[in-house]
Amino acid sequence: MMKDTLSLDDVLNKISEDGLRITLPRKGILEILFESDEYLSADEIYSRVHKRYPGVGLATVYRTLILLAEIGVLTKFEFGEGKARYEIAESTTGENHHHVLVCTSCFKVIKYSDFTSDERDCMKRNEQHLEKTHGFSINRHVVQFYGVCRDCQRS
Amino acid sequence: MMKDTLSLDDVLNKISEDGLRITLPRKGILEILFESDEYLSADEIYSRVHKRYPGVGLATVYRTLILLAEIGVLTKFEFGEGKARYEIAESTTGENHHHVLVCTSCFKVIKYSDFTSDERDCMKRNEQHLEKTHGFSINRHVVQFYGVCRDCQRS
DNA sequence: CTACTTGCAAATATTTTGCATGCCA
DNA sequence: TGGCATGCAAAATATTTGCAAGTAG
């Protein structure tokens, strides 16, 4: 039985197990991602990593993000801004549900976890139903509510 | 009480009511969108419109999509491909829920409407809860299940 | 008429790729 | 040491913008 949340060491182990190399850019990028509790874009990650480890280049950030998403330790999101954002996956195997509130005016993203247990049950039932009826193997799901936040409503 | 689904005429009326002009490019783009039941990207819309009305340019397509999304007759989506896709909104005022199954391998998008009524109720309850607790004014929501489709599982 | 729209080309923004060099295991 | 990784620059994509010319109302 796997832990609920991934640690930096879990990820480094996973990288090794997959026959990939643990390098400074990879560690740096993971540090930044683990330190942040927000969805980060590639250039945000780049500027933070590059400040700490000046050798690291933008192309490596992109390549690393793709690779980490492929091995399941990162999740990629898009919120209508025209660029992707990333976050450490909750786990490589278990639940990966991402429920957010997005402001279409300022692109603030609020993750909410105060959903009722029936939302969870409902999504679970649905996932099983869809896997069966459509022959999909489902890995994760995303629930996004789009609207205008309190601050933007005032202006 | 408004109709459930938007017609081309509804949209043209809305454009006029908003003080905007009804032009050939705008009509052409709307024709294409109404004829398709899939999510279309800007360049897909462009090539179809341009074939029918050779004068229409790509920049106009982009500008029109932004404008139509702003007045609420189009909805913009992103499925992790790195580009946006658009669809006629279900209505300018009522329910705008979009539930899909996305293949992360081939980017096939399946809209499903065979969700149980409790999924609908659940989302509705949640929406109201979130509006209250976070002060958002919510316009629409998106539910996306990501996985691998039957065809891609074979390869 | 007049101001909203358009087409085209140029500018941005984001992401990907080629290739010689670097460095982890 | 061998081959995966990296950095840089260039390329590929996607989207936006400036501006003169067109046209709907």
Side-chain angles (χ1 to χ4, degrees):
Chain A
M1 184 67 182
M2 183 137 189
K3 267 208 287 25
D4 269 46
T5 52
L6 240 34
S7 71
L8 178 51
D9 281 343
D10 290 335
V11 175
L12 295 179
N13 286 338
K14 172 113 182 86
I15 291 176
S16 287
E17 287 163 15
D18 286 23
L20 302 165
R21 291 178 181 171
I22 295 172
T23 62
L24 187 140
R26 288 177 183 174
K27 269 192 285 196
I29 290 164
L30 285 165
E31 282 174 27
I32 297 303
L33 285 162
F34 272 102
E35 286 166 15
S36 172
D37 60 346
E38 300 185 327
Y39 299 95
L40 298 179
S41 65
D43 67 291
E44 284 168 353
I45 294 166
Y46 167 70
S47 62
R48 296 182 195 194
V49 174
H50 193 263
K51 186 178 292 178
R52 192 175 301 175
Y53 304 107
V56 178
L58 180 58
T60 299
V61 171
Y62 275 104
R63 279 188 282 233
T64 302
L65 294 174
I66 291 168
L67 182 133
L68 294 174
E70 273 170 2
I71 65 173
V73 306
L74 273 194
T75 313
K76 176 182 179 179
F77 295 88
E78 289 177 359
F79 300 112
E81 293 166 292
K83 64 185 167 191
R85 291 185 173 273
Y86 295 84
E87 186 190 55
I88 297 290
E90 292 171 14
S91 84
T92 43
T93 51
E95 300 284 308
N96 275 296
H97 54 88
H98 302 272
H99 297 209
V100 297
L101 212 44
V102 182
C103 177
T104 48
S105 175
C106 68
F107 285 112
K108 178 164 38 202
V109 177
I110 297 175
K111 304 187 217 181
Y112 66 91
S113 45
D114 54 338
F115 44 82
T116 47
S117 64
D118 61 67
E119 177 173 347
R120 181 192 221 86
D121 295 346
C122 177
M123 296 305 290
K124 177 62 80 185
R125 266 200 304 282
N126 230 270
E127 180 170 313
Q128 287 166 352
H129 175 68
L130 291 169
E131 290 201 316
K132 201 176 303 171
T133 52
H134 293 95
F136 263 62
S137 164
I138 296 175
N139 302 311
R140 65 187 182 97
H141 68 254
V142 172
V143 176
Q144 299 171 333
F145 286 90
Y146 283 88
V148 182
C149 74
R150 209 185 323 249
D151 294 343
C152 290
Q153 282 174 56
R154 279 201 282 260
S155 14
Chain B
M1 185 70 182
M2 183 139 188
K3 266 208 285 28
D4 271 45
T5 52
L6 241 34
S7 71
L8 178 51
D9 281 342
D10 290 335
V11 175
L12 296 179
N13 287 338
K14 172 112 184 84
I15 291 175
S16 288
E17 286 163 14
D18 286 24
L20 302 165
R21 291 182 182 167
I22 295 172
T23 63
L24 188 142
R26 287 176 184 174
K27 270 192 285 196
I29 290 164
L30 285 165
E31 282 173 26
I32 298 302
L33 285 161
F34 272 102
E35 285 166 17
S36 172
D37 60 346
E38 300 185 327
Y39 299 95
L40 298 179
S41 64
D43 67 292
E44 284 169 352
I45 294 167
Y46 167 70
S47 62
R48 296 182 194 193
V49 174
H50 192 264
K51 186 179 292 176
R52 193 175 301 176
Y53 305 106
V56 178
L58 179 59
T60 299
V61 171
Y62 275 104
R63 280 188 282 232
T64 302
L65 294 174
I66 291 168
L67 181 135
L68 294 175
E70 273 170 2
I71 65 173
V73 305
L74 273 193
T75 313
K76 177 182 180 180
F77 295 89
E78 289 177 280
F79 300 113
E81 292 166 292
K83 63 184 168 193
R85 290 184 173 274
Y86 295 83
E87 187 190 54
I88 297 290
E90 291 170 16
S91 84
T92 42
T93 51
E95 300 286 307
N96 275 295
H97 53 89
H98 301 272
H99 298 210
V100 297
L101 211 44
V102 182
C103 178
T104 49
S105 175
C106 68
F107 285 112
K108 179 164 34 202
V109 177
I110 297 175
K111 304 188 215 180
Y112 65 91
S113 45
D114 55 338
F115 42 81
T116 47
S117 63
D118 61 70
E119 177 172 346
R120 180 192 221 88
D121 294 346
C122 178
M123 295 306 289
K124 177 61 82 186
R125 264 200 305 283
N126 231 271
E127 180 170 314
Q128 288 166 353
H129 175 67
L130 291 168
E131 289 201 315
K132 201 176 302 172
T133 52
H134 293 95
F136 263 61
S137 164
I138 296 175
N139 302 310
R140 65 187 183 96
H141 68 254
V142 172
V143 176
Q144 300 172 333
F145 286 90
Y146 284 88
V148 182
C149 73
R150 210 187 320 250
D151 293 342
C152 290
Q153 283 174 56
R154 278 200 281 259
S155 14

